[in-house]
């Protein structure tokens, strides 16, 4: 910078950034640390131990948590795959198919799940399934999850597609590739980083959801967040902190993966 | 540069012309059938008669909205007076969401500015650090916050051990705890749009202001803030809207005294106090308020774009 003082600098902005990061991370780090606490009381520090992780996997409540984790995982995988497929098709329509009827409203529709408050979606979905006489359970959770996963899958996919010039596709078509071949052999491989990011984000969003799941799950089925919420209602126990730490690691791992894949895509360009 | 790529974009190409409707169909079907239709059903439910212990009787009734706005006494035959209970809950929700938005702006703006003025790869690492917590389960984050600020939690333990306080500060189950929880839940939503705005801001304006003897803070107030206003408004809306309908932070951190809309709605669908039409009506009122805010925002954006 040629100026005498750095115009980008404001007194106090750097400390504020650290305050921001501190506030964001402190609670998470503390829960992670205390999940290794040997003491039975969650407040006092009694030395390092893995006993609460043992408790999660082999303790009294382990069967409940395992079943819930299995439900969470299978729902997240199916919902993310469905949402990613739907979002990829939608992005192709929005960015590669010129004009068509209903295009202008489509964008709003795809983003609708982000605009309607979660609790309203939850109520609406519950009431709807009850009105059409659908028993709430695994399937209703899955359907609700696909809906709110779509915009999260769509955003990285559309962003990626926007960055790909259509010259490659034009070249393929000039060489007599059919439109389907062009899509499968040219567009899809180029889009892969976006699609993977979209899938991973949808997966985490599904894995994380509590409010909508809590409304549409019905009795007798739990996902990990609803099982954790049920336990916390009776007070925070150390095994909850262990299970939270595990879930936290999964989320952070997936986001990091999604970020790295997205970056990889950019560098190749 | 990311910007360059986007400018060269080919968003109007039509390799798959004619297939648009076909490829859009799954998205329309799923969102239409499992979101638009449910919201319409909810609107209908809000005008039905309640069935005790959940569910509805298919008989038109305005009872749900009447219960929200009017108090007709224990037996329903007193002259109608305005019912303040629910209006107060809405007001508290707006206030709490507003305070959370204010705190987010206070911390989020300097952070966004700082990150946007970094150079090279540093920038995306900083940005990534801000977004990670957002992807961690909201329930877990709220539980973490609850654990941290309890009367016997680590925060009070440390403050007492360090001799700064002699009695624990009572934070949990106060309004402030809820604000803190909401702030913590949605802070990344404030940082990201402001960041996007600051990134587009041309530092030459700051130089011009400095050449004209403006102090840094004058420049901030008169030049930078107006320039990044769209990002600030977007951030405020992204924090305010979900805060207003939040359920976890008020429920886990606020306790029974600090009831917000989310808990009011939830209560109507759980347990024996259930009143589905009333829950649907409260949800409709919340949705209308959110749509008003979003429409206002869209018009504002339209105006900014027109200039």
């Amino acid at each position: 910078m040629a100026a005498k003082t750095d115009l980008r600098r404001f007194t106090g902005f750097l400390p504020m950034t650290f305050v921001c990061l501190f506030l964001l991370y402190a609670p998470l780090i503390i829960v992670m640390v205390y999940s290794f606490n040997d003491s039975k009381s969650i407040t006092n520090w009694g030395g390092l131990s893995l006993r609460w992780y043992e408790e999660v996997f082999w303790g009294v409540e382990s069967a409940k948590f395992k079943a819930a984790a299995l439900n969470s995982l299978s729902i997240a995988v199916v919902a993310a795959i469905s949402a990613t497929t739907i979002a990829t098709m939608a992005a192709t329509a929005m960015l590669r198919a010129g004009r068509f009827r209903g295009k202008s409203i489509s964008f709003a529709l795809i983003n609708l799940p982000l605009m309607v408050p979660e609790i309203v979606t939850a109520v609406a979905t519950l009431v709807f399934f009850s009105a059409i006489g659908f028993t709430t359970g695994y399937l209703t959770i899955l359907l609700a999850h696909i809906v709110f996963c779509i915009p999260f899958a769509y955003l990285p996919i559309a962003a990626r597609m926007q960055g790909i010039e259509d010259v490659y596709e034009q070249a393929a078509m000039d060489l007599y590739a059919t439109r389907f071949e062009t899509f499968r052999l040219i567009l899809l491989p180029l889009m892969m980083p976006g699609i993977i990011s979209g899938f991973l984000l949808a997966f985490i969003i599904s894995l994380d959801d509590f409010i909508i799941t809590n409304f549409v799950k019905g009795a007798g089925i739990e996902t990990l967040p609803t099982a954790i919420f049920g336990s916390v209602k009776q007070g925070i126990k150390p095994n909850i902190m262990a299970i939270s730490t595990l879930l936290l690691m999964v989320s952070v791992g997936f986001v990091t993966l999604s970020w790295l894949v997205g970056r990889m895509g950019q560098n190749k360009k | 540069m990311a910007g360059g790529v986007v400018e060269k974009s080919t968003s109007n190409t039509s390799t798959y012309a004619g297939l648009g409707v076909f490829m859009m169909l799954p998205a329309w079907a799923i969102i239409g059938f499992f979101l638009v239709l449910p919201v319409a059903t909810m609107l209908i439910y809000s005008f039905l008669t309640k069935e005790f212990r959940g569910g509805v009787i298919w008989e038109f009734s305005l009872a749900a909205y009447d219960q929200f706005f009017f108090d007709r006494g224990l037996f329903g035959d007193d002259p109608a007076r305005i019912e303040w209970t629910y209006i107060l809950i809405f007001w508290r929700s707006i206030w709490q969401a507003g305070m959370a938005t204010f705190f987010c702006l206070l911390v989020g703006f300097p952070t966004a500015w700082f990150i946007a003025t970094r150079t090279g790869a540093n920038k995306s690492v900083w940005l990534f650090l801000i977004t990670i917590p957002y992807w961690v389960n909201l329930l877990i984050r709220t539980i973490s916050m609850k654990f941290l600020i309890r009367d016997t939690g680590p925060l009070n333990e440390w403050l007492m051990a360090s001799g700064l306080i002699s009695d624990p500060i009572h934070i949990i189950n106060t309004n402030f705890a809820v604000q803190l929880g909401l702030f913590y839940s949605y802070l990344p939503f404030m940082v990201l749009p402001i960041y996007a705005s600051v990134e587009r801001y041309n530092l030459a304006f700051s130089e011009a202001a400095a050449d004209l003897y403006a102090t840094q803070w004058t420049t901030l107030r008169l030049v930078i803030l107006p320039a990044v206003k769209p990002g600030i408004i977007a951030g405020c809306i992204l924090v305010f809207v979900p805060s207003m309908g939040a359920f976890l932070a008020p429920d886990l951190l606020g306790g029974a005294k600090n009831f917000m809309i989310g808990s009011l709605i939830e209560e109507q669908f759980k347990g024996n106090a259930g009143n589905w039409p009333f829950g649907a009506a409260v949800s409709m009122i919340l949705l209308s308020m959110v749509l008003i805010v979003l429409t206002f925002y869209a018009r504002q954006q339209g105006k900014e774009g027109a200039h």
Side-chain angles (χ1 to χ4, degrees), chain B residues 14 34 37 79 98 101 113 123 182 203 209 211 255 262 269 279 294 299 304:
Chain B
S14 38
F34 295 110
L37 215 54
T101 309
W113 176 270
K123 197 190 281 189
L182 293 173
L203 269 176
D211 288 345
F269 294 89
L294 290 178
R299 288 185 63 178
E304 301 273 345

Side-chain angles (χ1 to χ4, degrees), chain B residues 100-138:
Chain B
T101 309
F102 173 73
F103 290 137
C104 281
L105 185 59
L106 207 65
V107 176
F109 180 80
T111 308
W113 176 270
F114 177 80
I115 296 175
T117 52
R118 294 308 90 195
T119 48
N122 269 339
K123 197 190 281 189
S124 78
V125 173
W126 276 105
L127 208 54
F128 184 55
L129 281 176
I130 296 289
T131 45
I132 287 181
Y134 167 69
W135 297 106
V136 172
N137 197 316
L138 183 59

Side-chain angles (χ1 to χ4, degrees), chain B residues 7 9 20 54 58 75 94 99-100 113 131 163 219 237 247 261 271 279:
Chain B
E7 270 158 38
S9 80
W58 283 85
F75 302 102
I94 292 171
M99 288 304 283
W113 176 270
T131 45
T219 312
I237 284 174
F247 168 70
I261 304 172

Side-chain angles (χ1 to χ4, degrees), chain A residues 49-234:
Chain A
S49 135
L50 286 173
R51 62 184 284 194
W52 302 116
Y53 289 88
E54 248 167 68
E55 169 107 14
V56 167
F57 286 104
W58 295 283
V60 214
E61 289 183 302
S62 63
K64 185 180 90 180
F65 283 127
K66 269 180 198 160
L70 215 59
N71 284 333
S72 273
L73 273 179
S74 65
I75 288 171
V77 168
V78 180
I81 290 175
S82 317
T84 311
T85 312
I86 294 168
T88 307
M89 289 179 77
T92 314
M94 293 299 282
L95 298 168
R96 287 293 199 270
R99 293 169 172 280
F100 59 90
R101 275 177 79 105
K103 185 173 180 176
S104 47
I105 202 167
S106 294
F107 187 70
L109 199 66
I110 287 170
N111 286 301
L112 196 62
L114 295 179
M115 288 188 277
V116 178
E118 243 192 307
I119 191 122
V120 175
T121 308
V123 168
T125 316
L126 170 69
V127 156
F128 174 70
F129 282 130
S130 143
I132 61 171
F134 217 86
T135 323
T136 47
Y138 189 89
L139 193 62
T140 51
I141 304 178
L142 183 62
L143 286 167
H145 278 224
I146 294 174
V147 171
F148 66 73
C149 283
I150 290 174
F152 285 95
Y154 180 81
L155 291 173
I157 293 173
R160 173 80 190 161
M161 199 183 284
Q162 225 157 32
I164 300 171
E165 288 177 74
D166 73 337
V167 287
Y168 309 107
E169 290 151 81
Q170 301 292 349
M173 305 264 278
D174 288 344
L175 296 166
Y176 300 102
T178 64
R179 291 206 283 190
F180 183 67
E181 283 169 335
T182 311
F183 181 77
R184 195 168 55 91
L185 298 172
I186 308 293
L187 192 58
L188 213 52
L190 282 171
M191 297 255 304
M192 247 334 140
I195 293 176
I196 294 173
S197 294
F199 171 82
L200 293 175
L201 294 188
F203 181 84
I204 304 169
I205 285 292
S206 164
L207 205 62
D208 282 359
D209 179 73
F210 167 73
I211 294 173
I212 294 173
T213 312
N214 189 36
F215 270 76
V216 301
K217 76 184 172 68
I221 180 165
E222 300 280 355
T223 63
L224 217 38
T226 61
I228 293 175
F229 185 77
S231 285
V232 168
K233 277 277 146 182
Q234 287 124 39

Side-chain angles (χ1 to χ4, degrees), chain A residues 8 25 43 166 208 233, chain B residues 13 113 129 135 152 216 251:
Chain A
R8 296 174 306 170
Y25 284 93
T43 315
D166 73 337
D208 282 359
K233 277 277 146 182
Chain B
T13 52
W113 176 270
L129 281 176
W135 297 106
T152 53
Q216 277 220 300
D251 192 69

